[in-house]
């Protein structure tokens, strides 16, 4: 999906803050028990690995079902530590951007949750989740009537075509690439170098818009996951008339219930109602409050302290992708009145210490780090059992095919690190190869991670040079092919319940590029072969191939050391209504919030 906090993460979120869209954990905060009981948490997460359902026209018709007790009016305060790396939908593949995207942008489809763990894909701008033909190679979408952007311009098939074609342009480098590669192959940019801004467009045999209301996708192989792909924030619609290319990232045009009234990058953002959004066309979102005030630069510890105190404006506040700060968790969960104002759930992210394979070429060094890193101390920095569990491998408990006992580096037996084993592996390695540059975000969480990594690896004989990176651009910096770092922590969660949305984005050699979530720059012919094989198989048959690829990646290549699986614990003010855990975003569900008074 995106990485954690920065990137499905990507996504993101990132991850990032993050995210990507996913199915994870519990949905209703009152029913969630995510915390100390890891086995129970993982069992709950496994339940959410079931595939989504595809909604018909009736399920896609607005308005969205009313939230019990909802009232109109007021402004919600939003606390966030790092600024947003992108506001252009095509650049969004991180969890913080994904949260904001659901307020500002609409796509052809979207995810709809029932509050009981079930998730469906419904038509958003389209009348339904899509109609497939030709064995799943052709998908047809019809646009709803009455859909406009914030300027009152009707959204037509030309805007859908433009949105997809602009993804081919060089200035779009940080978003998802599923759709582009499915339509035009791994070297998709060569098919439309100017991103459709000139006279050339994708041929009708690939992307057809026979009239103003119809969009037809033609693929060379079945794409049964297309409705889920189109629901990703990265495929939010960009109206053709108002596209300012690279400048669009700071002043995008809304199609959702809110629009940007004021934006000061890294400092603040003010959202107000988009009066041209019609609830009758939207089966997912609400427009209860008058707006949202985003306050960036608020550390997680300050967010938590303010929300525990619950005074003044903090009564109307939420955490966007931040979590309860680890040292204050007991102040939250130990106080019944405060704990009632939390949302909890298992996230889809596997946090890993990724190696830059262009720089860390000695596999012995990578193995020593995988054995020696201290997952226990890293998880302590995230809040202990409320923040995460030890990850023995690269698949999360929310993913179909997860193997809880697959543990090639003994992470479950020695979560604090196997120092003796690591030292033994390093004994014949030259000193120069044992000096590694570690990039970390200049956030509170990043600082804690740096301390844990430096401490653990120095004990096994690794000389760690820690380099601070701006938190807002962290995933962008470590996502550069020519970055000056040897290793960095990233989290990745599935975009939908399929191992293909994990293996393909981050381990496919065809995805090695600036801005790609293939942070290790891994390009292995055997993995390429397995990916191609799995993508042509039915899900049941493909499961064995994905498992083979997973084992090969972790044992034969080792592009990253698995560290921990993440859990979510967020706090909100006492005047916030409609709060629940979103299984789709793995954060508070921003589409249904209101103020009680």
């Amino acid at each position: 999906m995106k990485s954690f906090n920065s990137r499905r993460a990507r996504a993101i979120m990132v991850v990032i803050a993050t995210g990507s869209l996913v199915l994870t954990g519990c949905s209703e905060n009152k029913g969630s028990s995510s915390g100390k009981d890891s086995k129970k948490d993982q069992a709950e997460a496994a339940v959410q690995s079931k595939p989504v359902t595809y909604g018909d026209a009736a399920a896609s018709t607005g308005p969205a079902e009313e939230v019990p007790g909802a009232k109109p009016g007021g402004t919600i305060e939003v606390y966030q530590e790092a600024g947003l790396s992108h506001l252009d939908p095509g650049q969004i593949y991180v969890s913080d951007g994904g949260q904001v995207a659901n307020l500002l942008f609409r796509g052809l489809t979207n995810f709809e949750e029932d509050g009981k763990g079930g998730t469906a894909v419904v038509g958003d701008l389209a009348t339904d989740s899509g109609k497939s033909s030709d064995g799943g190679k052709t998908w047809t979408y019809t646009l709803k009537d009455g859909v406009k952007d914030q300027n009152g311009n009707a959204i037509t098939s030309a805007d859908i075509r433009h949105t997809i074609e602009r993804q081919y342009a060089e200035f779009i480098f940080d978003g998802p690439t599923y759709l582009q590669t499915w339509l035009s192959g791994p070297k998709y940019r060569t098919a439309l170098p100017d991103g459709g801004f000139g006279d050339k467009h994708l041929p009708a045999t690939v992307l057809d818009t026979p009239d103003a209301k119809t969009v037809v996708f033609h693929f060379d192989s079945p794409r049964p996951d297309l409705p889920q792909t189109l629901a990703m924030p990265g495929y939010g619609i960009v109206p053709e008339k108002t596209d300012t290319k690279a400048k669009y990232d700071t002043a995008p045009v809304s199609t959702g219930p809110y629009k940007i009234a004021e934006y000061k990058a890294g400092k603040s953002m003010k959202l107000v109602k988009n009066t041209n959004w019609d609830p009758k066309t939207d089966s997912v979102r609400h427009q209860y409050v008058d707006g949202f005030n985003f306050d960036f630069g608020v550390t997680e510890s300050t967010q938590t302290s303010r929300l525990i105190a619950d005074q003044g404006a903090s009564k109307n506040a939420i955490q966007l992708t931040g979590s309860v700060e680890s040292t204050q968790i007991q102040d939250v969960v130990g106080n019944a009145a405060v704990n009632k104002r939390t949302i909890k759930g298992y996230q889809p992210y596997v946090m890993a210490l990724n190696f830059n394979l262009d720089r860390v070429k000695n596999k012995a060094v990578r193995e020593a780090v995988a054995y020696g890193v201290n997952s226990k101390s890293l998880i302590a920095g995230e809040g202990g059992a409320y923040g995460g569990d030890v990850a023995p491998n690269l698949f999360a408990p929310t993913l179909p095919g997860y193997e809880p006992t697959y543990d090639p580096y003994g992470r479950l037996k020695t979560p604090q690190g196997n120092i003796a084993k690591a030292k033994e592996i390093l004994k014949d390695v030259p000193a120069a190869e044992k000096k590694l540059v570690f990039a970390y975000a200049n956030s509170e969480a990043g600082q804690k991670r740096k301390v844990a990594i430096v401490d653990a690896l120095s004990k096994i004989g690794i000389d760690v040079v820690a380099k601070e990176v701006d938190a807002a651009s962290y995933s962008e910096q470590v996502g550069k092919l020519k970055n000056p770092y040897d290793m960095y922590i990233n989290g990745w969660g599935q975009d939908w319940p399929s191992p293909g949305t994990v293996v393909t984005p981050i381990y496919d050699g065809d995805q090695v590029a600036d801005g790609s979530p293939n942070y290790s720059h891994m390009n292995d012919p055997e993995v390429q072969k397995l990916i191609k094989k799995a993508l042509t198989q039915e899900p049941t048959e493909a499961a064995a191939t994905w498992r083979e690829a997973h084992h090969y990646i972790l044992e034969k290549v080792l592009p990253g050391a698995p560290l921990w699986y993440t859990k979510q614990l967020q706090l909100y003010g006492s005047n916030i209504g409609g709060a629940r855990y979103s299984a789709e975003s793995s954060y508070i569900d921003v589409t249904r919030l209101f103020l009680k008074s």
Side-chain angles (χ1 to χ4, degrees):
M1 149 191 174
K2 49 208 145 213
S3 0
F4 177 69
N5 191 34
S6 345
R7 185 182 298 276
R8 224 69 255 195
R10 254 156 191 20
I12 176 94
M13 241 201 133
V14 193
V15 197
I16 283 228
T18 132
S20 204
L21 301 167
V22 296
L23 289 174
T24 62
C26 312
S27 1
E28 294 285 3
N29 60 309
K30 290 181 180 177
S32 175
S33 59
S34 182
K36 292 183 178 179
D37 191 344
S38 296
K39 287 185 178 178
K40 184 178 179 183
D41 290 344
Q42 290 196 13
E44 289 179 353
V47 170
Q48 299 308 317
S49 68
K50 60 185 179 182
V52 300
T53 58
Y54 290 170
D56 58 12
S60 307
T61 302
E65 184 178 344
E66 288 295 325
V67 178
K71 299 177 180 179
T75 300
I76 290 178
E77 302 294 322
V78 182
Y79 298 145
Q80 182 75 350
E81 183 165 0
L84 301 171
S85 52
H86 295 292
L87 279 170
D88 184 328
Q91 299 275 55
I92 292 177
Y93 206 175
V94 301
S95 48
D96 51 3
Q99 286 281 77
V100 175
N102 231 355
L103 298 172
L104 295 176
F105 310 123
R106 300 177 67 180
L108 281 174
T109 63
N110 201 352
F111 290 101
E112 183 177 62
E113 301 176 62
D114 63 7
K116 301 172 185 176
T119 303
V121 175
V122 295
D124 191 356
L125 295 177
T127 55
D128 55 30
S129 57
K131 291 182 172 63
S132 68
S133 56
D134 189 25
K137 293 180 182 179
T138 299
W139 284 84
T140 302
Y141 288 89
T142 304
L143 298 182
K144 293 175 180 175
D145 295 326
V147 177
K148 300 175 182 178
D149 67 17
Q150 70 180 56
N151 300 314
N153 299 316
I155 298 297
T156 71
S157 62
D159 296 306
I160 310 301
R161 171 182 283 282
H162 175 72
T163 297
I164 293 159
E165 291 185 338
R166 74 191 295 273
Q167 299 267 9
Y168 289 62
E170 290 292 340
F171 70 85
I172 299 292
F173 57 87
D174 233 5
T177 60
Y178 291 108
L179 186 54
Q180 304 92 293
T181 55
W182 290 352
L183 289 171
S184 304
K187 307 297 182 185
Y188 65 88
R189 291 193 196 275
T190 61
L192 200 65
D194 65 359
F197 287 94
D199 296 329
K200 187 180 178 184
H201 295 281
L202 292 173
T205 53
V206 172
L207 177 62
D208 194 13
T209 49
D211 57 55
K213 300 294 287 291
T214 308
V215 180
V216 186
F217 297 93
H218 297 284
F219 303 104
D220 58 8
S221 58
R223 297 297 177 185
D225 292 339
L226 182 66
Q228 299 179 77
T229 309
L230 293 172
M232 298 174 71
Y235 295 115
I237 300 307
V238 175
E240 185 174 16
K241 291 178 185 175
T242 45
D243 191 349
T244 52
K245 298 185 178 180
K247 294 179 182 178
Y248 198 77
D249 217 3
T250 55
V253 172
S254 168
T255 50
Y258 296 90
K259 64 182 181 180
I260 299 172
E262 183 182 282
Y263 179 50
K264 296 177 182 176
K267 295 180 180 179
S268 63
M269 182 170 68
K270 182 179 181 181
L271 304 186
V272 297
K273 284 185 175 182
N274 173 11
T275 53
N276 279 302
W277 172 79
D278 185 352
K280 295 188 186 72
T281 69
D282 198 326
S283 66
V284 176
R285 303 169 189 82
H286 296 278
Q287 197 188 50
Y288 292 128
V289 297
D290 296 328
F292 293 80
N293 285 340
F294 288 74
D295 190 359
F296 301 112
V298 184
T299 64
E300 286 194 342
S301 57
T302 301
Q303 293 175 30
T304 307
S305 298
R306 288 181 184 178
L307 290 166
I308 289 175
D310 197 42
Q311 299 295 311
S314 293
K315 291 184 177 181
N316 300 337
I318 64 169
Q319 293 184 295
L320 184 69
T321 58
S323 303
V324 171
E325 196 270 325
S326 59
T327 64
Q328 300 179 73
I329 284 179
Q330 289 308 318
D331 296 330
V332 173
V333 299
N335 183 323
V338 177
N339 193 38
K340 277 196 333 189
R341 296 190 281 111
T342 61
I343 59 110
K344 309 179 182 78
Y346 220 112
Q347 295 185 299
Y349 303 107
V350 181
M351 303 302 292
L353 180 60
N354 286 309
F355 303 107
N356 182 339
L357 296 179
D358 295 330
R359 292 169 59 100
V360 189
K361 297 182 179 181
N362 190 335
K363 186 167 181 278
V365 174
R366 305 198 297 271
E367 286 181 351
V369 171
Y371 278 109
V373 76
N374 190 333
S375 289
K376 196 171 182 180
S377 65
L378 285 162
I379 293 170
E382 304 296 314
Y386 286 97
D389 292 330
V390 176
N393 58 63
L394 298 169
F395 279 10
T398 57
L399 194 67
Y402 171 63
E403 299 172 272
T405 59
Y406 176 52
D407 185 17
Y409 296 99
R411 309 303 304 141
L412 298 174
K413 292 179 181 177
T414 53
Q416 74 285 0
N418 189 334
I419 296 172
K421 177 76 171 176
K423 281 184 172 180
E424 174 66 22
I425 293 171
L426 286 174
K427 68 179 182 179
D428 296 323
V429 173
E433 295 184 26
K434 291 189 282 189
K435 184 174 183 177
L436 299 177
V437 180
F438 171 65
Y440 68 96
N442 65 345
S443 61
E444 286 186 335
Q447 294 284 351
K448 290 174 185 174
R449 293 169 188 176
K450 178 200 76 169
V451 171
I453 292 294
V454 172
D455 178 67
L457 298 190
S458 62
K459 288 177 181 175
I460 67 171
I462 296 288
D463 180 8
V464 181
V465 180
K467 295 287 187 181
E468 185 178 278
V469 178
D470 174 59
S473 62
Y474 174 79
S475 56
E476 185 177 333
Q477 295 304 315
V478 302
K480 291 179 179 177
L481 283 181
K482 298 298 181 183
N483 76 68
Y485 314 116
D486 295 311
M487 52 186 181
Y488 18 80
I489 292 178
N490 305 91
W492 187 265
Q494 73 246 28
D495 290 309
W496 56 85
S498 166
T501 67
V502 172
V503 177
T504 305
I506 53 179
Y507 302 119
D508 185 349
D510 288 337
Q511 305 287 343
V512 176
D514 282 336
S516 163
N518 187 335
Y519 295 111
S520 296
H521 315 152
M522 182 177 144
N523 189 357
D524 186 280
E526 180 61 25
V527 175
Q528 297 298 95
K529 199 163 35 171
L530 290 169
I531 288 173
K532 286 181 173 62
K533 179 181 176 183
L535 291 176
T536 63
Q537 297 173 316
E538 288 299 313
T540 331
E541 190 183 5
T545 307
W546 290 126
R547 183 168 59 250
E548 184 182 352
H550 180 206
H551 286 220
Y552 182 94
I553 290 165
L554 193 50
E555 296 172 40
K556 303 298 183 184
V557 183
L558 188 56
L563 299 173
W564 76 94
Y565 302 132
T566 65
K567 295 179 184 177
Q568 185 56 274
L569 176 63
Q570 288 187 302
L571 188 59
Y572 55 88
S574 60
N575 198 35
I576 295 288
R580 75 176 182 190
Y581 185 85
S582 167
E584 175 261 319
S585 71
S586 71
Y587 296 102
I588 192 169
D589 187 342
V590 295
T591 66
R592 48 183 280 122
L593 299 178
F594 64 91
L595 294 179
K596 298 175 183 176
S597 61

